Amino acid sequence: MFVRGIRGATTVENNDENEILSATTELLNEIIEENGIIPEEIAHVFVTVTQDLTATFPAKAIRQMEGWELVPLMCSLEIPVEGSLPKCVRLMVTVNTEKSQAEIKHVFQREAKRLRPDLSKLTNA
């Protein structure tokens, strides 16, 4: 058994609670689906947002997902680097798995595909 990190990121159009929560749920659901994981396999989820997202904690969306109530979550701010991608939510899902690093599928949606084009799939929304 290995501990692996699964990266994910998405963006929102507005600093709006519902939009942030919806985008976070959509991102985590795709990470779950792409990697075939269940909450029991998750060690923790580290969530970051850019400083322009202040309407809510994205972790709130994860806490509302069935089966995720006991998964440890932590939110933080991204480093405010000039020219960095705005209105971005990032997830680092740490999972216990038998998968190799090469088998892990990272998920980048919307404008966040620009963060890691080498890991982004063309089919991501």
Side-chain angles (χ1 to χ4, degrees), residues 21-37 61-62 65-66 68 91 93 107 109:
L21 296 177
S22 177
T24 302
T25 301
E26 180 183 332
L27 176 60
L28 184 56
N29 280 332
E30 187 171 344
I31 289 171
I32 292 165
E33 183 178 319
E34 289 291 323
N35 290 282
I37 56 177
I62 300 170
M65 294 172 64
E66 186 175 339
W68 288 78
L91 302 180
V93 180
V107 176
Q109 299 175 330

Side-chain angles (χ1 to χ4, degrees), residues 100-113:
S100 69
Q101 287 282 24
E103 293 174 295
I104 296 297
K105 296 177 182 153
H106 306 279
V107 176
F108 294 84
Q109 299 175 330
R110 299 181 182 91
E111 293 299 315
K113 291 178 185 180

